[in-house]
Amino acid sequence: YSYITEADLYLAIIRHGGPDDGLVIPTSWTSHKNVYSFVLFNGLVAEAILEAKCPHAWRWAIILFFYLNQFFVLSKTGLLIATLFVLGFYLWHFVKTLKKHKIRNWVIFGVVFGGLFLFLLIGLLSPRVLWLNRFLRNTWDYMVASISATLMDRVYVWSDVVRCIFSFPLTLMVVAGYGNWAHVFYAYLLGDPNGYYPMDSAWVADLARAGIFGVLFSAILDLYVLYLLIDAILHHSKIGVVSALYAVGLFLRSFVEAGDLANPDSFGMIYMALLVLPLLSERYARLHPAVEQEKAELLRQSKETPLPSQPFTSARFIPKFLAIFCPLFVLATFAFLVVGIL
């Protein structure tokens, strides 16, 4: 979708030989490059989890595709956590498969890191000799030039918000609530109730939404996930190390981006779907082998398992009908509002 709708942006970056302040960064269907970078990162992680559970060589092409797109989006946090994840995942896979594929692994390792060393050496001696050298040099200059400004902006915002929260004891306990916290602080600090005050830190956002209780809730959930990760690694789970690498990326991101993974929004759904639920599923299968064996037997049966027939009754039909169609009616209403019909 992004390649089709934003093809001119990609072509401009390629022709320029890297990003620049005067170029527009692709965001795909999202609202900001940091959000798009996070979407790409989660796609990379999802493919890595599948590779850990069911290895195929072609999955590495998809992982590399998601990773290389980070260089066009140029979210500093996204590129950092994606690089750390890919490097950690490759080294883990290298060690895990070394006994069975010793020659193959060392050959690939030598080609990858030897080529990288040669490429960096050429780039150090003559940064403009190759297009890829120019691209990475411009990328590096762009990141270095913007990192101090964006980090200091975040620090100023964090200090303003924390100062407001600690100004009154009741505010420290309950604060502004989940839905309107950003507008509340914008109105308080800048006098405009219609503005939006980005926090760019999940922990400061927790403090702004629900005070100390919000921070404690997120910390307790993170500690529980840490327990699941340790348990998975100790029991040699296929996804234990991959999930730990993903958790490290999320933890690093939580300090500089406001996506709160402990709340029931889109970020929370990602947190549950890619990290918590896979760990719980593996743990349940390990603790209940009889149930898993029964599921496997059902799947191996040649004939379809007969389902119990239930009579049609209004008591069963109406709740299901409302559960399916009520959200559709609400979405249709919003759609009409957007296009100006209502």
Side-chain angles (χ1 to χ4, degrees):
Y1 174 80
S2 179
Y3 287 158
I4 296 174
T5 60
E6 301 174 314
D8 54 334
L9 302 183
Y10 290 96
L11 291 175
I13 294 175
I14 292 173
R15 289 169 181 170
H16 185 266
D20 189 84
D21 290 331
L23 298 177
V24 181
I25 302 300
T27 58
S28 188
W29 50 268
T30 65
S31 59
H32 195 272
K33 67 174 185 177
N34 291 342
V35 179
Y36 184 36
S37 174
F38 190 52
V39 172
L40 292 172
F41 176 63
N42 284 289
L44 186 156
V45 171
E47 195 62 37
I49 292 175
L50 293 175
E51 168 64 21
K53 294 178 69 71
C54 186
H56 289 287
W58 53 265
R59 295 195 190 278
W60 287 93
I62 301 177
I63 292 173
L64 189 62
F65 168 79
F66 280 117
Y67 175 65
L68 292 179
N69 272 274
Q70 295 281 359
F71 287 90
F72 289 97
V73 181
L74 284 180
S75 167
K76 292 177 286 296
T77 305
L79 184 58
L80 172 64
I81 61 177
T83 301
L84 293 176
F85 180 88
V86 170
L87 181 61
F89 181 68
Y90 171 74
L91 292 177
W92 169 75
H93 186 272
F94 174 85
V95 174
K96 185 187 70 170
T97 60
L98 186 59
K99 290 184 178 179
K100 293 183 178 180
H101 306 282
K102 184 176 294 186
I103 297 178
R104 183 202 68 179
N105 283 15
W106 280 114
V107 169
I108 295 176
F109 183 88
V111 170
V112 170
F113 286 94
L116 181 62
F117 174 78
L118 182 62
F119 173 76
L120 293 177
L121 182 62
I122 294 175
L124 181 64
L125 298 176
S126 181
R128 306 292 174 178
V129 66
L130 299 174
W131 175 88
L132 192 56
N133 287 125
R134 296 196 302 273
F135 185 92
L136 293 182
R137 179 69 184 190
N138 290 334
T139 301
W140 175 261
D141 293 340
Y142 174 84
M143 303 283 272
V144 171
S146 61
I147 189 171
S148 59
T150 56
L151 181 60
M152 290 309 299
D153 288 342
R154 283 171 166 82
V155 172
Y156 292 142
V157 171
W158 299 339
S159 61
D160 288 341
V161 172
V162 172
R163 176 172 51 83
C164 293
I165 294 172
F166 279 83
S167 63
F168 188 63
L170 183 60
T171 307
L172 183 60
M173 300 301 292
V174 296
V175 201
Y178 182 79
N180 58 352
W181 54 279
H183 300 285
V184 168
F185 286 102
Y186 197 93
Y188 181 81
L189 294 168
L190 301 178
D192 183 4
N194 299 316
Y196 182 84
Y197 210 67
M199 303 298 174
D200 285 330
S201 171
W203 300 101
V204 177
D206 282 337
L207 193 64
R209 288 166 174 165
I212 295 176
F213 294 108
V215 175
L216 288 177
F217 174 77
S218 296
I220 291 172
L221 178 59
D222 290 336
L223 288 175
Y224 176 65
V225 173
L226 178 62
Y227 162 74
L228 293 178
L229 288 170
I230 295 174
D231 180 71
I233 294 175
L234 292 178
H235 288 88
H236 305 288
S237 170
K238 292 182 178 179
I239 63 171
V241 175
V242 183
S243 298
L245 293 171
Y246 181 44
V248 170
L250 295 180
F251 183 70
L252 294 175
R253 184 183 184 275
S254 69
F255 289 98
V256 292
E257 296 295 339
D260 190 348
L261 302 172
N263 283 284
D265 53 14
S266 58
F267 289 99
M269 294 298 293
I270 293 172
Y271 188 62
M272 294 297 171
L274 281 182
L275 184 60
V276 181
L277 290 181
L279 291 172
L280 289 176
S281 177
E282 293 258 338
R283 176 178 170 82
Y284 182 87
R286 188 180 72 249
L287 296 178
H288 302 85
V291 176
E292 295 302 311
Q293 182 66 26
E294 183 179 355
K295 292 180 182 179
E297 290 295 333
L298 290 175
L299 292 175
R300 280 196 291 265
Q301 289 180 1
S302 58
K303 296 182 179 180
E304 295 184 358
T305 304
L307 299 176
S309 59
Q310 297 179 343
F312 175 83
T313 60
S314 59
R316 296 180 58 249
F317 173 74
I318 293 177
K320 295 180 180 180
F321 176 83
L322 294 176
I324 294 174
F325 286 98
C326 279
L328 297 179
F329 294 148
V330 174
L331 291 176
T333 303
F334 278 115
F336 290 143
L337 288 173
V338 170
V339 299
I341 297 178
L342 295 179

